[in-house]
Each structure stands twice: as structure tokens, then as C-alpha cells.
Amino acid sequence: MTTFSGPDGRPRCGWCAATPAYTAYHDHEWGFPVDDDRRLFEKICLEGFQSGLSWRTILEKRENFRAAFAGFDFRKVAEYGEEDVARLLQDAGIVRHRAKIEATINNARRACEMVAAEGSLAAFFWRYEAEPAGIRATSPESQALSKELRKRGWKFVGPTTAYAFMQAMGLVNDHAEGCAIRDEVAAKRAGFTRPA
């Protein structure tokens, strides 16, 4: 992965040159380890919505998604019904894709089941931590994660979606060699207590 010099002269992963909004996301979120269940649920859902689209589209609509899906409180989203689906299909602030909306509601129900079975979403997801291995769209870990999620009834969680989720939530440090944030992420990961 290549780097580019940001407006402050620091090298960053090349992908965040596409828009200024990426810089803040890259510098403060992408790759930093997360163990908060709500944030993990939000990200796996947003990665599903991103399927076939650019992350820029989703990032620009993220606050609208949060408003539409109760801040990604999966216990609340699990209670959504057909009236909510109809409402969300009229919401121009989000991606109005019926299958993805229905998948988010379904996944909220599966998340509730997972917390009951595993103790937390974090405890489950962090079993799939991976080592960086260069530019790739999937990994053996993301393939295993995708397979297990689908076995448990989750939707829009293919291996590529699962890997993008892993990159963003810090389950792998895929910041480019030479990126100014790579060492910050490595330090956070080193001090991070993996959920039991």
C-alpha cells in the first residue's frame, strides 16, 4: 500500500487522499482497536451497506444512519418491524436498499443472540484477530468470520465485508508501512486488553 503526504506533511495511507473526510477517519478511527459492542455492531452494518458502493458514500451519511437505526443500539433495532422498514425506505439520508435495511434488523436480532451466547460481540469478534499480510481484500480469518456469522444467520457479511470490518475495528493493523498512524495503532493494540 502506498502513502501520500497529508496537508500537515505527515505520510498517510494512500486511500485517504480521496477526500478530506477520510483523513480524520483514518487518523482517529481506522485500525484502532474497538471493544465496544455498539460500535462493532454499527461498523459491521455500515460495511454491509457499503457493499457495492464507496466508503465515502457511507461515511458522509453515517450520522443519518445513526439517527435512523437508534444509534445502532442493536437491542432497539431488533424490535424494528415492517413499519420501520417502510419508514427507512423513505429516508433519503441513508442508503435505501430494502435487503440491506432488512439485513441490519436481522443482524440486530442475531447480535442479541450472540451476546446471550458469548457474553459480548467483542468477545466473539476478537477471536478473529489477524496479522497484517500486505494488500488483500480478504484473509483466512475474515473467511472464517464470515462463515461463522452466516452460520449464525447474519446477512451481508461476506469475507470482503468481514475483512473491511476487521481493518476498521483494529483486528488487524493494515496501515501502510511508513504511514504516520501505523505506529500509533500498533501502540494502542499492544496496550489493548482482548475481550475474554
Side-chain angles (χ1 to χ4, degrees):
M1 191 187 310
T2 59
T3 60
F4 88 109
S5 284
D8 57 2
R10 298 172 78 203
R12 291 175 172 84
C13 297
W15 60 263
C16 70
T19 172
Y22 279 179
T23 303
Y25 174 70
H26 169 272
D27 288 4
H28 303 292
E29 292 186 60
W30 194 76
F32 288 90
V34 174
D35 62 1
D36 178 84
D37 279 4
R38 190 181 293 198
R39 284 190 60 204
L40 291 164
F41 179 70
E42 172 184 288
K43 188 60 177 171
I44 198 84
C45 293
L46 291 180
E47 289 295 346
F49 272 103
Q50 189 262 326
S51 180
L53 303 170
S54 76
W55 176 242
R56 181 177 185 171
T57 299
I58 304 305
L59 188 59
E60 289 173 352
K61 293 176 178 281
R62 184 163 63 168
E63 290 306 320
N64 299 330
F65 276 107
R66 287 172 173 167
F69 288 100
F72 288 96
D73 180 336
F74 50 86
R75 290 174 181 85
K76 291 180 180 177
V77 177
E79 300 298 322
Y80 282 17
E82 268 308 312
E83 287 182 8
D84 297 290
V85 173
R87 170 180 56 82
L88 293 165
L89 286 169
Q90 299 302 312
D91 188 340
I94 66 169
V95 174
R96 294 178 288 181
H97 186 290
R98 177 180 284 276
K100 293 177 180 180
I101 290 168
E102 290 176 342
T104 300
I105 297 167
N106 169 76
N107 292 350
R109 295 169 183 158
R110 304 296 76 80
C112 292
E113 294 168 356
M114 185 176 286
V115 169
E118 307 289 345
S120 69
L121 299 184
F124 171 81
F125 284 123
W126 275 92
R127 291 181 202 151
Y128 296 89
E129 185 175 3
E131 291 299 319
I135 299 170
R136 57 185 176 174
T138 66
S139 70
E141 294 85 359
S142 78
Q143 291 165 1
L145 172 57
S146 171
K147 182 177 180 181
E148 183 61 24
L149 286 171
R150 287 184 289 184
K151 180 179 168 185
R152 294 177 184 229
W154 293 61
K155 300 187 183 306
F156 279 91
V157 288
T160 301
T161 295
Y163 193 66
F165 164 82
M166 291 168 60
Q167 290 175 302
M169 297 287 95
L171 278 79
V172 60
N173 183 0
D174 265 354
H175 282 274
E177 293 285 349
C179 171
I181 308 303
R182 182 181 175 90
D183 288 345
E184 290 182 31
V185 166
K188 288 285 188 185
R189 283 173 45 81
F192 178 72
T193 302
R194 275 62 177 167

Short mmCIF file of all heavy atoms in Angstrom, two decimals, residues 131-182:
data_model
loop_
_atom_site.label_atom_id
_atom_site.label_comp_id
_atom_site.label_asym_id
_atom_site.label_seq_id
_atom_site.Cartn_x
_atom_site.Cartn_y
_atom_site.Cartn_z
N GLU A 131 -2.90 -11.04 11.60
CA GLU A 131 -1.65 -10.32 11.38
C GLU A 131 -1.70 -9.68 10.00
O GLU A 131 -2.24 -10.25 9.06
CB GLU A 131 -0.46 -11.28 11.45
CG GLU A 131 -0.20 -11.83 12.84
CD GLU A 131 0.13 -10.73 13.84
OE1 GLU A 131 0.87 -9.80 13.48
OE2 GLU A 131 -0.36 -10.83 14.99
N PRO A 132 -1.12 -8.48 9.84
CA PRO A 132 -1.10 -7.85 8.52
C PRO A 132 -0.29 -8.69 7.54
O PRO A 132 0.69 -9.32 7.93
CB PRO A 132 -0.45 -6.48 8.76
CG PRO A 132 0.27 -6.60 10.05
CD PRO A 132 -0.45 -7.65 10.86
N ALA A 133 -0.73 -8.71 6.29
CA ALA A 133 -0.05 -9.53 5.28
C ALA A 133 -0.08 -8.85 3.92
O ALA A 133 -0.27 -9.50 2.90
CB ALA A 133 -0.67 -10.92 5.22
N GLY A 134 0.09 -7.53 3.89
CA GLY A 134 0.11 -6.84 2.61
C GLY A 134 -1.29 -6.56 2.08
O GLY A 134 -2.29 -6.81 2.76
N ILE A 135 -1.34 -6.06 0.88
CA ILE A 135 -2.61 -5.66 0.27
C ILE A 135 -3.44 -6.89 -0.05
O ILE A 135 -2.99 -7.81 -0.74
CB ILE A 135 -2.37 -4.83 -1.01
CG1 ILE A 135 -1.60 -3.56 -0.66
CG2 ILE A 135 -3.69 -4.49 -1.69
CD1 ILE A 135 -1.11 -2.80 -1.87
N ARG A 136 -4.64 -6.92 0.48
CA ARG A 136 -5.56 -8.03 0.21
C ARG A 136 -6.97 -7.59 0.52
O ARG A 136 -7.18 -6.62 1.25
CB ARG A 136 -5.18 -9.26 1.03
CG ARG A 136 -5.15 -9.01 2.54
CD ARG A 136 -4.66 -10.20 3.31
NE ARG A 136 -4.54 -9.90 4.74
CZ ARG A 136 -4.25 -10.79 5.65
NH1 ARG A 136 -4.04 -12.04 5.31
NH2 ARG A 136 -4.15 -10.45 6.93
N ALA A 137 -7.94 -8.29 0.00
CA ALA A 137 -9.35 -7.95 0.23
C ALA A 137 -10.00 -8.88 1.24
O ALA A 137 -11.06 -8.56 1.78
CB ALA A 137 -10.12 -7.99 -1.09
N THR A 138 -9.37 -10.03 1.47
CA THR A 138 -9.87 -10.99 2.45
C THR A 138 -8.66 -11.61 3.15
O THR A 138 -7.52 -11.36 2.78
CB THR A 138 -10.70 -12.13 1.80
OG1 THR A 138 -9.84 -12.92 0.97
CG2 THR A 138 -11.87 -11.59 0.99
N SER A 139 -8.94 -12.42 4.13
CA SER A 139 -7.89 -13.17 4.82
C SER A 139 -8.51 -14.48 5.28
O SER A 139 -9.74 -14.62 5.31
CB SER A 139 -7.38 -12.38 6.03
OG SER A 139 -8.38 -12.33 7.04
N PRO A 140 -7.68 -15.45 5.67
CA PRO A 140 -8.26 -16.68 6.23
C PRO A 140 -9.17 -16.38 7.41
O PRO A 140 -10.22 -17.01 7.58
CB PRO A 140 -7.04 -17.49 6.64
CG PRO A 140 -5.94 -17.02 5.72
CD PRO A 140 -6.22 -15.56 5.52
N GLU A 141 -8.79 -15.39 8.23
CA GLU A 141 -9.59 -15.03 9.40
C GLU A 141 -10.93 -14.42 8.98
O GLU A 141 -11.96 -14.71 9.58
CB GLU A 141 -8.82 -14.05 10.28
CG GLU A 141 -7.59 -14.63 10.93
CD GLU A 141 -6.33 -14.59 10.05
OE1 GLU A 141 -6.42 -14.10 8.89
OE2 GLU A 141 -5.28 -15.04 10.52
N SER A 142 -10.92 -13.56 7.96
CA SER A 142 -12.18 -12.94 7.53
C SER A 142 -13.10 -13.97 6.88
O SER A 142 -14.32 -13.90 7.00
CB SER A 142 -11.95 -11.76 6.59
OG SER A 142 -11.65 -12.15 5.27
N GLN A 143 -12.49 -14.94 6.20
CA GLN A 143 -13.30 -16.01 5.62
C GLN A 143 -13.93 -16.85 6.72
O GLN A 143 -15.12 -17.21 6.63
CB GLN A 143 -12.42 -16.86 4.69
CG GLN A 143 -12.00 -16.12 3.43
CD GLN A 143 -10.88 -16.79 2.68
OE1 GLN A 143 -10.39 -17.86 3.08
NE2 GLN A 143 -10.44 -16.16 1.60
N ALA A 144 -13.17 -17.14 7.76
CA ALA A 144 -13.71 -17.91 8.89
C ALA A 144 -14.78 -17.12 9.62
O ALA A 144 -15.83 -17.66 10.00
CB ALA A 144 -12.59 -18.30 9.84
N LEU A 145 -14.54 -15.81 9.82
CA LEU A 145 -15.52 -14.95 10.49
C LEU A 145 -16.81 -14.89 9.68
O LEU A 145 -17.91 -15.06 10.24
CB LEU A 145 -14.94 -13.55 10.68
CG LEU A 145 -15.90 -12.47 11.20
CD1 LEU A 145 -16.51 -12.86 12.53
CD2 LEU A 145 -15.16 -11.12 11.31
N SER A 146 -16.69 -14.67 8.39
CA SER A 146 -17.86 -14.61 7.52
C SER A 146 -18.65 -15.91 7.58
O SER A 146 -19.89 -15.91 7.72
CB SER A 146 -17.42 -14.33 6.09
OG SER A 146 -18.49 -14.47 5.19
N LYS A 147 -17.95 -17.02 7.51
CA LYS A 147 -18.61 -18.33 7.53
C LYS A 147 -19.38 -18.53 8.83
O LYS A 147 -20.52 -18.99 8.82
CB LYS A 147 -17.56 -19.43 7.35
CG LYS A 147 -18.13 -20.83 7.30
CD LYS A 147 -17.04 -21.86 7.04
CE LYS A 147 -17.61 -23.27 6.99
NZ LYS A 147 -16.55 -24.27 6.75
N GLU A 148 -18.76 -18.16 9.95
CA GLU A 148 -19.41 -18.35 11.25
C GLU A 148 -20.60 -17.42 11.41
O GLU A 148 -21.65 -17.81 11.94
CB GLU A 148 -18.41 -18.16 12.38
CG GLU A 148 -18.98 -18.41 13.76
CD GLU A 148 -19.50 -19.84 13.98
OE1 GLU A 148 -19.05 -20.78 13.28
OE2 GLU A 148 -20.37 -20.01 14.86
N LEU A 149 -20.45 -16.17 10.98
CA LEU A 149 -21.58 -15.23 11.07
C LEU A 149 -22.75 -15.73 10.23
O LEU A 149 -23.91 -15.71 10.69
CB LEU A 149 -21.16 -13.83 10.61
CG LEU A 149 -20.26 -13.04 11.58
CD1 LEU A 149 -19.75 -11.78 10.89
CD2 LEU A 149 -21.02 -12.69 12.86
N ARG A 150 -22.49 -16.17 9.02
CA ARG A 150 -23.58 -16.66 8.17
C ARG A 150 -24.22 -17.92 8.75
O ARG A 150 -25.43 -18.09 8.69
CB ARG A 150 -23.07 -16.89 6.75
CG ARG A 150 -22.82 -15.57 6.01
CD ARG A 150 -22.39 -15.76 4.58
NE ARG A 150 -21.04 -16.28 4.54
CZ ARG A 150 -20.35 -16.48 3.43
NH1 ARG A 150 -20.89 -16.24 2.25
NH2 ARG A 150 -19.12 -16.94 3.47
N LYS A 151 -23.39 -18.76 9.37
CA LYS A 151 -23.92 -19.95 10.04
C LYS A 151 -24.90 -19.56 11.14
O LYS A 151 -25.88 -20.25 11.40
CB LYS A 151 -22.75 -20.76 10.60
CG LYS A 151 -23.13 -22.03 11.32
CD LYS A 151 -21.87 -22.73 11.80
CE LYS A 151 -22.19 -23.85 12.78
NZ LYS A 151 -20.96 -24.46 13.33
N ARG A 152 -24.61 -18.43 11.80
CA ARG A 152 -25.46 -17.93 12.88
C ARG A 152 -26.61 -17.06 12.37
O ARG A 152 -27.33 -16.48 13.17
CB ARG A 152 -24.61 -17.15 13.89
CG ARG A 152 -23.61 -18.02 14.64
CD ARG A 152 -22.76 -17.17 15.56
NE ARG A 152 -21.72 -17.95 16.22
CZ ARG A 152 -21.49 -17.91 17.53
NH1 ARG A 152 -22.22 -17.16 18.33
NH2 ARG A 152 -20.51 -18.63 18.05
N GLY A 153 -26.76 -16.94 11.06
CA GLY A 153 -27.91 -16.25 10.49
C GLY A 153 -27.70 -14.80 10.11
O GLY A 153 -28.65 -14.12 9.71
N TRP A 154 -26.46 -14.28 10.22
CA TRP A 154 -26.19 -12.90 9.83
C TRP A 154 -26.20 -12.78 8.31
O TRP A 154 -25.95 -13.75 7.60
CB TRP A 154 -24.83 -12.45 10.35
CG TRP A 154 -24.73 -12.33 11.85
CD1 TRP A 154 -24.90 -13.32 12.77
CD2 TRP A 154 -24.41 -11.15 12.59
NE1 TRP A 154 -24.72 -12.83 14.04
CE2 TRP A 154 -24.40 -11.49 13.97
CE3 TRP A 154 -24.11 -9.83 12.23
CZ2 TRP A 154 -24.13 -10.58 14.97
CZ3 TRP A 154 -23.83 -8.91 13.24
CH2 TRP A 154 -23.84 -9.28 14.59
N LYS A 155 -26.51 -11.56 7.82
CA LYS A 155 -26.58 -11.32 6.38
C LYS A 155 -25.69 -10.14 5.99
O LYS A 155 -25.38 -9.29 6.82
CB LYS A 155 -28.02 -11.05 5.96
CG LYS A 155 -28.96 -12.21 6.28
CD LYS A 155 -30.35 -12.00 5.72
CE LYS A 155 -31.29 -13.13 6.10
NZ LYS A 155 -30.81 -14.46 5.75
N PHE A 156 -25.29 -10.10 4.71
CA PHE A 156 -24.39 -9.08 4.18
C PHE A 156 -23.07 -9.05 4.96
O PHE A 156 -22.56 -8.01 5.34
CB PHE A 156 -25.05 -7.69 4.15
CG PHE A 156 -25.94 -7.50 2.95
CD1 PHE A 156 -27.28 -7.82 3.02
CD2 PHE A 156 -25.42 -7.01 1.76
CE1 PHE A 156 -28.11 -7.67 1.91
CE2 PHE A 156 -26.25 -6.86 0.63
CZ PHE A 156 -27.59 -7.18 0.72
N VAL A 157 -22.53 -10.23 5.19
CA VAL A 157 -21.28 -10.37 5.94
C VAL A 157 -20.32 -11.31 5.20
O VAL A 157 -19.75 -12.22 5.79
CB VAL A 157 -21.53 -10.86 7.38
CG1 VAL A 157 -22.16 -9.78 8.23
CG2 VAL A 157 -22.39 -12.13 7.40
N GLY A 158 -20.14 -11.07 3.90
CA GLY A 158 -19.19 -11.86 3.13
C GLY A 158 -17.76 -11.63 3.59
O GLY A 158 -17.48 -10.73 4.40
N PRO A 159 -16.81 -12.42 3.08
CA PRO A 159 -15.41 -12.31 3.53
C PRO A 159 -14.78 -10.94 3.30
O PRO A 159 -13.98 -10.49 4.13
CB PRO A 159 -14.69 -13.38 2.70
CG PRO A 159 -15.75 -14.34 2.29
CD PRO A 159 -17.01 -13.55 2.16
N THR A 160 -15.13 -10.26 2.20
CA THR A 160 -14.57 -8.93 1.95
C THR A 160 -15.14 -7.92 2.93
O THR A 160 -14.39 -7.08 3.48
CB THR A 160 -14.85 -8.50 0.50
OG1 THR A 160 -14.28 -9.47 -0.39
CG2 THR A 160 -14.26 -7.14 0.19
N THR A 161 -16.44 -7.98 3.17
CA THR A 161 -17.08 -7.12 4.17
C THR A 161 -16.47 -7.38 5.55
O THR A 161 -16.16 -6.45 6.30
CB THR A 161 -18.60 -7.36 4.18
OG1 THR A 161 -19.13 -6.95 2.92
CG2 THR A 161 -19.29 -6.60 5.30
N ALA A 162 -16.29 -8.66 5.88
CA ALA A 162 -15.72 -9.02 7.18
C ALA A 162 -14.30 -8.49 7.31
O ALA A 162 -13.91 -8.01 8.38
CB ALA A 162 -15.75 -10.54 7.37
N TYR A 163 -13.52 -8.54 6.22
CA TYR A 163 -12.15 -8.06 6.32
C TYR A 163 -12.10 -6.54 6.47
O TYR A 163 -11.30 -6.01 7.27
CB TYR A 163 -11.31 -8.50 5.11
CG TYR A 163 -9.84 -8.27 5.36
CD1 TYR A 163 -9.17 -8.99 6.34
CD2 TYR A 163 -9.14 -7.31 4.65
CE1 TYR A 163 -7.83 -8.77 6.61
CE2 TYR A 163 -7.79 -7.09 4.92
CZ TYR A 163 -7.14 -7.81 5.89
OH TYR A 163 -5.82 -7.58 6.17
N ALA A 164 -12.95 -5.82 5.75
CA ALA A 164 -13.00 -4.36 5.90
C ALA A 164 -13.38 -3.99 7.34
O ALA A 164 -12.84 -3.04 7.92
CB ALA A 164 -13.99 -3.76 4.90
N PHE A 165 -14.31 -4.74 7.91
CA PHE A 165 -14.69 -4.56 9.31
C PHE A 165 -13.49 -4.79 10.23
O PHE A 165 -13.22 -4.01 11.14
CB PHE A 165 -15.83 -5.53 9.64
CG PHE A 165 -16.08 -5.75 11.10
CD1 PHE A 165 -16.85 -4.84 11.83
CD2 PHE A 165 -15.58 -6.86 11.75
CE1 PHE A 165 -17.09 -5.04 13.18
CE2 PHE A 165 -15.81 -7.08 13.10
CZ PHE A 165 -16.57 -6.15 13.82
N MET A 166 -12.75 -5.86 10.00
CA MET A 166 -11.58 -6.19 10.81
C MET A 166 -10.53 -5.08 10.73
O MET A 166 -9.94 -4.70 11.75
CB MET A 166 -10.99 -7.53 10.37
CG MET A 166 -11.87 -8.72 10.70
SD MET A 166 -11.31 -10.24 9.87
CE MET A 166 -9.66 -10.41 10.54
N GLN A 167 -10.29 -4.57 9.53
CA GLN A 167 -9.33 -3.49 9.35
C GLN A 167 -9.75 -2.25 10.15
O GLN A 167 -8.95 -1.63 10.84
CB GLN A 167 -9.23 -3.10 7.88
CG GLN A 167 -8.55 -4.12 6.99
CD GLN A 167 -8.61 -3.68 5.55
OE1 GLN A 167 -9.70 -3.46 5.00
NE2 GLN A 167 -7.46 -3.54 4.91
N ALA A 168 -11.01 -1.89 10.03
CA ALA A 168 -11.50 -0.66 10.65
C ALA A 168 -11.53 -0.75 12.17
O ALA A 168 -11.26 0.23 12.86
CB ALA A 168 -12.90 -0.33 10.12
N MET A 169 -11.85 -1.93 12.71
CA MET A 169 -12.03 -2.09 14.16
C MET A 169 -10.76 -2.55 14.87
O MET A 169 -10.80 -2.87 16.05
CB MET A 169 -13.17 -3.08 14.43
CG MET A 169 -14.52 -2.60 13.93
SD MET A 169 -15.26 -1.24 14.92
CE MET A 169 -14.73 0.22 14.00
N GLY A 170 -9.65 -2.60 14.15
CA GLY A 170 -8.38 -2.87 14.78
C GLY A 170 -8.04 -4.33 14.98
O GLY A 170 -7.06 -4.64 15.66
N LEU A 171 -8.80 -5.24 14.38
CA LEU A 171 -8.47 -6.65 14.49
C LEU A 171 -7.26 -7.01 13.64
O LEU A 171 -6.71 -8.11 13.74
CB LEU A 171 -9.68 -7.52 14.09
CG LEU A 171 -10.72 -7.71 15.20
CD1 LEU A 171 -11.62 -6.49 15.33
CD2 LEU A 171 -11.56 -8.95 14.94
N VAL A 172 -6.84 -6.08 12.80
CA VAL A 172 -5.60 -6.18 12.03
C VAL A 172 -5.10 -4.76 11.81
O VAL A 172 -5.91 -3.84 11.65
CB VAL A 172 -5.83 -6.93 10.69
CG1 VAL A 172 -6.84 -6.21 9.81
CG2 VAL A 172 -4.53 -7.14 9.93
N ASN A 173 -3.79 -4.55 11.87
CA ASN A 173 -3.23 -3.22 11.62
C ASN A 173 -2.77 -3.16 10.17
O ASN A 173 -1.65 -3.54 9.85
CB ASN A 173 -2.06 -2.94 12.57
CG ASN A 173 -1.49 -1.53 12.39
OD1 ASN A 173 -1.96 -0.76 11.56
ND2 ASN A 173 -0.49 -1.21 13.18
N ASP A 174 -3.65 -2.67 9.31
CA ASP A 174 -3.33 -2.61 7.88
C ASP A 174 -2.92 -1.21 7.42
O ASP A 174 -2.99 -0.91 6.24
CB ASP A 174 -4.52 -3.12 7.04
CG ASP A 174 -4.37 -4.58 6.68
OD1 ASP A 174 -3.32 -5.18 6.99
OD2 ASP A 174 -5.30 -5.15 6.08
N HIS A 175 -2.52 -0.35 8.36
CA HIS A 175 -1.92 0.91 7.93
C HIS A 175 -0.63 0.59 7.18
O HIS A 175 0.12 -0.31 7.55
CB HIS A 175 -1.63 1.81 9.13
CG HIS A 175 -2.86 2.49 9.66
ND1 HIS A 175 -3.32 3.68 9.15
CD2 HIS A 175 -3.72 2.13 10.63
CE1 HIS A 175 -4.42 4.04 9.80
NE2 HIS A 175 -4.69 3.11 10.70
N ALA A 176 -0.40 1.33 6.11
CA ALA A 176 0.75 1.08 5.24
C ALA A 176 2.06 1.29 6.00
O ALA A 176 2.14 2.11 6.92
CB ALA A 176 0.70 2.02 4.04
N GLU A 177 3.10 0.57 5.58
CA GLU A 177 4.45 0.84 6.08
C GLU A 177 4.77 2.29 5.75
O GLU A 177 4.57 2.74 4.63
CB GLU A 177 5.47 -0.08 5.39
CG GLU A 177 5.32 -1.54 5.75
CD GLU A 177 5.84 -1.87 7.15
OE1 GLU A 177 6.50 -1.00 7.76
OE2 GLU A 177 5.58 -2.99 7.62
N GLY A 178 5.24 3.04 6.73
CA GLY A 178 5.55 4.44 6.50
C GLY A 178 4.43 5.39 6.85
O GLY A 178 4.64 6.60 6.94
N CYS A 179 3.21 4.87 7.06
CA CYS A 179 2.08 5.72 7.46
C CYS A 179 2.33 6.21 8.89
O CYS A 179 2.69 5.43 9.77
CB CYS A 179 0.78 4.94 7.39
SG CYS A 179 -0.64 5.80 8.09
N ALA A 180 2.11 7.50 9.10
CA ALA A 180 2.36 8.10 10.42
C ALA A 180 1.48 7.51 11.51
O ALA A 180 1.83 7.55 12.69
CB ALA A 180 2.14 9.61 10.34
N ILE A 181 0.34 6.94 11.14
CA ILE A 181 -0.61 6.43 12.13
C ILE A 181 -0.33 4.96 12.47
O ILE A 181 -0.78 4.45 13.49
CB ILE A 181 -2.06 6.61 11.63
CG1 ILE A 181 -2.31 8.06 11.19
CG2 ILE A 181 -3.08 6.21 12.69
CD1 ILE A 181 -2.04 9.11 12.27
N ARG A 182 0.44 4.29 11.64
CA ARG A 182 0.69 2.85 11.85
C ARG A 182 1.23 2.56 13.25
O ARG A 182 0.76 1.66 13.94
CB ARG A 182 1.64 2.33 10.78
CG ARG A 182 1.91 0.83 10.88
CD ARG A 182 2.89 0.37 9.81
NE ARG A 182 3.23 -1.02 9.96
CZ ARG A 182 2.58 -2.03 9.40
NH1 ARG A 182 1.52 -1.79 8.65
NH2 ARG A 182 2.97 -3.28 9.58
#
